[in-house]
Amino acid sequence: MSVSSSTTITKSTQLYGSSDPDEEIAIIHRNADATFAVIDVDGGGTLSKSEFTNHLSVSGYNIDTIDKIFNKMDVNKDEEISREEFRDGMVMLVSFVFLCIRCEHFYTNHT
């Protein structure tokens, strides 16, 4: 499952200052790839649940939250997160965070 730039990131987002949604996604993918490389400690090319859990628990996430994130990112339910699944998950996460910020900005300025 690949995330389409036209459905996830629009020209109005400008998350990283680019007006080109494809460039925005390319930046997210580069950042996701760097993070993936850190989490993939065995270099196997996929993230196991233990690699994912170890990384996020050090960052302060609780097990329930880690399980939910892992299960959302593991789209094909093979108990591993591929680089593509991780990239797609990060695009959705960044888009969601951006929308939350926009909503908060809207409500702050219109109430």
Side-chain angles (χ1 to χ4, degrees):
M1 176 181 114
S2 183
V3 177
S4 166
S5 62
S6 62
T7 58
T8 303
I9 294 182
T10 65
K11 290 185 182 198
S12 63
T13 60
Q14 297 184 357
L15 297 171
Y16 294 98
S18 172
S19 62
D20 179 5
D22 291 331
E23 178 60 24
E24 295 283 328
I25 288 179
I27 293 167
I28 295 167
H29 283 177
R30 282 194 297 273
N31 291 334
D33 289 347
T35 303
F36 188 94
V38 170
I39 299 172
D40 184 19
V41 294
D42 70 0
T46 60
L47 304 180
S48 67
K49 190 146 193 179
S50 65
E51 288 173 317
F52 197 76
T53 299
N54 290 340
H55 181 78
L56 289 182
S57 62
V58 169
S59 299
Y61 288 86
N62 68 47
I63 294 300
D64 288 339
T65 301
I66 294 169
D67 286 343
K68 287 176 184 174
I69 296 168
F70 187 90
N71 291 332
K72 289 288 185 186
M73 287 188 146
D74 182 20
V75 175
N76 67 358
K77 306 302 179 203
D78 65 352
E79 295 298 317
E80 297 180 319
I81 298 173
S82 69
R83 181 175 307 274
E84 192 62 35
E85 286 173 323
F86 192 76
R87 284 174 150 204
D88 289 348
M90 294 307 291
V91 169
M92 288 192 293
L93 174 65
V94 169
S95 298
F96 176 75
V97 168
F98 177 79
L99 289 173
C100 289
I101 291 168
R102 285 189 61 144
C103 287
E104 184 174 324
H105 175 75
F106 174 81
Y107 286 117
T108 300
N109 292 316
H110 292 93
T111 56

